[in-house]
Amino acid sequence: MSTSNLVRRLFTPSFTSVFVVSAVLRVALIIYSEWHDARSTVKYTDVDYRVFSDAARFVLHQSEENHAQGPLGAWFKLGDPYTRATYRYTPLLALLLTPNEWLHPSFGKYLFAACDLLAGVLMHQLLVGQVLPVNMSLPSPPSAESSENVEDKDRAPSSVRAQESREDRISTRATLLIASHLLNPLVFTISTRGSSESILSLFILATLRSAYDGHWDIAAIILGLSTHWKIYPFVYGISCLGVIANEEAKNANQNGRWWTGLVSWRCVRFAMISAGTFALLGAAMYAIWGYPFLYQSYLYHVHRLDHRHNFSPYFYLIYLTYPGQDFPEPLESLPWWRQLVRSPLTSFVPQMVLTLGAGVLFGRRKKDLSFAWFVQTFVFVIFNKVCTSQYFLWYTLFLPLLIPQLSLSLRRSLQLIGVWVGTQALWLSEAYKLEFLGQNVFFSLWVRSLVYVMGHAWVLAGIMESYDS
C-alpha cells in the first residue's frame, strides 16, 4: 500500500463511522427535544409533528363525532385523522404514527430519523455502484518497463493495484458526499423536529435506485406510492418514460428518434403500473375515509390560497385579493384581473410547463436521471405558489449524486452557494420585521421574493451549465 493510500485510509472516515455518528446525533437531538419542549415556550418540535400525533390519536379513538366516513369505514372501526384541523396528508402517515399513542410520543421522530439514515444508505449504494464508477476515470497502470524493474515479486500486479486504488478513491469520495448529506444541519434538524419529509425522500431514492438497476416495474410501484404520499413526484414519471422510450428506440434502430419508443409496451406498462398503484392506494383510502381524504389530501392543494408570507412571490398577489372583509364577493363577481390572480392556473401552468418540459429535455439516459430529477424539482419549488425552507430539501436530496457530475471551480461553487444562501438571508431579514416586529413590509418582502426567484433561477442555470453530460 502506498503512503498516500495509507494516509487516506487513516484520516478519512469510513461510511460505517459516518452512519454511526449520524445515528447518535439524531438520537441525541430527539432526547434533547423532549427536555427542551418541557422547559421552554419556544418548542424544538415542529408544529406539524403535533398535527401528525393528533391525527394518529383520532385514528385510534373512534367516536360518534370521529369516525372513518368512507363506504367501508364502519368495518374497520377507525377514527378520522382529518378530524384534526390542518391535517392534509395521506391517512397512511397517521397510521404509521399510531405508536406515538401506545409506545412513546417521540416514536415518529425516531421513524423519520431512521428514514434519514436509510436514505443515506441508498445514496451510498447509488454512488458506489452507479454514479462514481462512471464519473471517476481509472488511473493509468504503470508502464511495462517500470513493472519489469520491480524486485518484489510478491507485489500485486499493476492492474490489481490500480483497481484497488480506484475502489479506495470511490469509497472515500462516496463517504464524503454522504457525510455532506447526513451531517447537513438542514437535514437532521428537520427530521428530528418531527417533519415527515424523510419518508418521501426514502421513497424517491428507492425509485431512483430501481430505475438505475433497470427494475422498472418496481420503480413504477414506488413512484405510485410516492405520488400518493405527496403529489409532486409524479413529474419524475416523465423522465422515466423518456429513458425507457430512448432504450426502445435504440433497440429498434431509431437512434435520435426517442419519441417513437413512447408507444412501446414497456412505456405503457410503466405508466399503467405507476398510475394503477396510485389509483389503488387512493381507492383504498377513499373506501375507508371517504371524501375528507380526497379533499384534504388532493383537492385542497389545487385551489389553496395561501396569503401568508413565504418565499413564493405569489403570496403577495393572493394577499391583495384574499377574500375577507374587504373582498367578501365570490370569485365570479370579481374583476377579471383579480380572478386571474386568485386562479390556481396562474401558478400551476408555468410551473408544470417548465417542470414537465425539463423532464422531456433531460430524461434520456439512466445516468442523467438524478440530474433530470434535480432540475425538475428545483423548477417545481421555485415556481410553486407556496415555498418554505423545508421545500429546499426536495431538490438538495439529489446533490450528493449530482456533484460528481458537475465541472465547477471552487470560485464558481462559492458564487452559487453565496447567491443561494444570500437571497434567502435577504428575504428572511425582511420577513423577521413582519413576523416578529409587526411592521407593514409586505411590498418590500414581495420585492425580495422576486429577488429570491431570480437568484435561485441563476443558481439553477449555473448548475445546469456545469453538468458534464
Side-chain angles (χ1 to χ4, degrees), residues 45-53 87-90 92-94 96-97 100 108-116 119 187-204 226 229-230 232 390 393-394:
T45 301
D46 195 313
V47 65
D48 283 347
Y49 189 71
R50 293 197 292 273
V51 173
F52 303 156
S53 299
Y87 182 78
R88 298 186 175 96
Y89 309 88
T90 171
L92 294 179
L93 177 58
L96 276 178
L97 266 61
N100 282 12
K109 294 182 182 179
Y110 288 107
L111 174 65
F112 301 153
C115 289
D116 250 355
V187 174
F188 63 70
T189 55
I190 283 195
S191 62
T192 56
R193 291 185 66 212
S195 171
S196 64
E197 293 296 338
S198 59
I199 296 180
L200 182 61
S201 297
L202 181 62
F203 290 160
I204 290 173
S226 303
W229 199 268
K230 188 167 286 188
Y232 83 87
Q390 189 170 302
L393 283 178
W394 296 357

Side-chain angles (χ1 to χ4, degrees), residues 247-267:
E247 292 177 351
E248 288 296 292
K250 287 183 178 180
N251 293 337
N253 295 320
Q254 296 286 334
N255 290 340
R257 302 176 63 185
W258 64 271
W259 58 89
T260 59
L262 288 173
V263 295
S264 66
W265 167 241
R266 287 180 64 203
C267 281

Side-chain angles (χ1 to χ4, degrees), residues 173-216:
R173 193 169 186 190
T175 299
L176 294 175
L177 289 168
I178 294 305
S180 70
H181 175 76
L182 289 180
L183 300 178
N184 182 342
L186 185 64
V187 174
F188 63 70
T189 55
I190 283 195
S191 62
T192 56
R193 291 185 66 212
S195 171
S196 64
E197 293 296 338
S198 59
I199 296 180
L200 182 61
S201 297
L202 181 62
F203 290 160
I204 290 173
L205 287 173
T207 307
L208 186 61
R209 171 67 189 275
S210 300
Y212 267 114
D213 292 341
H215 301 151
W216 290 108

Side-chain angles (χ1 to χ4, degrees), residues 390-424:
Q390 189 170 302
Y391 290 21
F392 300 149
L393 283 178
W394 296 357
Y395 59 80
T396 56
L397 174 71
F398 301 108
L399 279 179
L401 306 175
L402 188 59
I403 287 174
Q405 304 176 71
L406 301 181
S407 299
L408 284 171
S409 65
L410 177 60
R411 179 180 178 182
R412 182 63 168 167
S413 300
L414 292 176
Q415 287 177 344
L416 295 176
I417 294 173
V419 171
W420 188 79
V421 174
T423 51
Q424 294 177 55

Side-chain angles (χ1 to χ4, degrees), residues 6 49 62 72 152 168 188 245 268 280 285 291 431:
L6 178 61
Y49 189 71
Q62 184 190 28
L72 304 180
D152 188 357
D168 286 344
F188 63 70
V268 173
L280 285 174
M285 298 301 104
Y291 183 75

